[in-house]
Amino acid sequence: ETGVTQTPRHLVMGMTNKKSLKCEQHLGHNAMYWYKQSAKKPLELMFVYSLEERVENNSVPSRFSPECPNSSHLFLHLHTLQPEDSALYLCASSQDLGRQGSLRGYTFGSGTRLTVV
Amino acid sequence: DAKTTQPPSMDCAEGRAANLPCNHSTISGNEYVYWYRQIHSQGPQYIIHGLKNNETNEMASLIITEDRKSSTLILPHATLRDTAVYYCIVRRETSGSRLTFGEGTQLTVNP
């Protein structure tokens, strides 16, 4: 257990479904991130939140909608996904956005394995 | 942040030291070298980081060359559980700097 918990661990959804991924951290971190990892590809940064404000959206399609209600929770709402969106979705947190104090970098959750059928 | 180059794969015998190289020839003075690893279908795990000096912790040692253009991660006694993709990342410790992953090195520890 890393301190960052993601649920569910596995999710199968149809292209017309709406589902949400949840991430929770109790490390006292102020920044949270969503990454996507497709098969045989490097991790891709999707969204960055700092103190519950979205500070980065890396050209992610609108069918992915993040939400950060407080500094401990991060959601990724999914709707009308495509089969190519099947991937491992990883949440991470850090003390802050890279200033001194985050020298140990990011803490990752175990991910949600998403399959779109 | 500076780009890194790592071999795509390496093998190591169980119980032996695993030495994973990384080139970062364009590194600048305020950039740190980080190592993470990702065991299959899990999230990446922080291993170690350094700026100039060699570093050691309970997991590994990090050797950074004097010119800082390359580094080596050393797992002193590799076990089967060390089989993973190892990522070398160069990152500034300033506001707005993100953790960006490349392809990494797939280390396979063989019995």
Side-chain angles (χ1 to χ4, degrees):
Chain A
E1 200 55 56
T2 65
V4 177
T5 304
Q6 289 188 245
T7 53
R9 291 295 307 272
H10 301 272
L11 177 63
V12 179
M13 62 185 287
M15 288 190 283
T16 58
N17 291 159
K18 289 185 181 181
K19 297 286 184 183
S20 296
L21 310 184
K22 180 182 176 182
C23 176
E24 187 172 354
Q25 59 93 6
H26 296 290
L27 301 170
H29 289 170
N30 293 320
M32 297 186 77
Y33 312 81
W34 279 116
Y35 282 84
K36 174 185 177 182
Q37 188 173 34
S38 303
K40 311 282 186 191
K41 290 186 179 179
L43 281 82
E44 302 169 51
L45 181 61
M46 300 174 72
F47 300 105
V48 179
Y49 275 82
S50 175
L51 297 171
E52 301 134 50
E53 298 270 338
R54 191 192 310 178
V55 297
E56 190 163 325
N57 174 347
N58 284 333
S59 303
V60 180
S62 59
R63 56 186 184 269
F64 296 92
S65 174
E67 178 190 3
C68 188
N70 55 62
S71 60
S72 297
H73 294 87
L74 184 66
F75 294 89
L76 188 62
H77 304 299
L78 316 171
H79 64 97
T80 59
L81 295 193
Q82 305 297 314
E84 59 264 29
D85 296 322
S86 299
L88 180 67
Y89 289 85
L90 289 157
C91 172
S93 69
S94 67
Q95 182 65 40
D96 54 30
L97 283 180
R99 285 186 290 272
Q100 285 287 337
S102 68
L103 291 182
R104 290 182 64 87
Y106 297 11
T107 302
F108 283 82
S110 297
T112 295
R113 173 69 61 187
L114 173 68
T115 303
V116 181
V117 297
Chain B
D1 295 329
K3 180 179 166 58
T4 63
T5 304
Q6 298 177 253
S9 63
M10 292 183 65
D11 284 275
C12 177
E14 188 178 18
R16 297 294 191 113
N19 298 296
L20 294 100
C22 180
N23 285 323
H24 30 79
S25 57
T26 60
I27 193 170
S28 59
N30 63 349
E31 290 181 315
Y32 288 75
V33 180
Y34 276 79
W35 283 85
Y36 280 75
R37 74 179 183 184
Q38 186 176 22
I39 295 170
H40 182 63
S41 290
Q42 295 182 24
Q45 175 192 23
Y46 166 86
I47 301 174
I48 199 168
H49 75 278
L51 182 63
K52 295 181 186 177
N53 300 321
N54 298 337
E55 302 288 339
T56 295
N57 63 20
E58 65 278 5
M59 291 182 70
S61 294
L62 174 60
I63 308 298
I64 302 174
T65 57
E66 194 168 340
D67 63 8
R68 303 211 320 125
K69 293 185 177 183
S70 66
S71 60
T72 301
L73 179 75
I74 301 172
L75 309 178
H77 305 286
T79 70
L80 300 180
R81 286 179 292 181
D82 292 322
T83 293
V85 179
Y86 287 77
Y87 298 99
C88 170
I89 300 165
V90 171
R91 176 171 175 248
R92 286 171 293 128
E93 284 303 316
T94 57
S95 178
S97 176
R98 307 287 182 253
L99 202 63
T100 304
F101 291 80
E103 305 276 350
T105 295
Q106 170 66 60
L107 174 69
T108 302
V109 180
N110 300 305

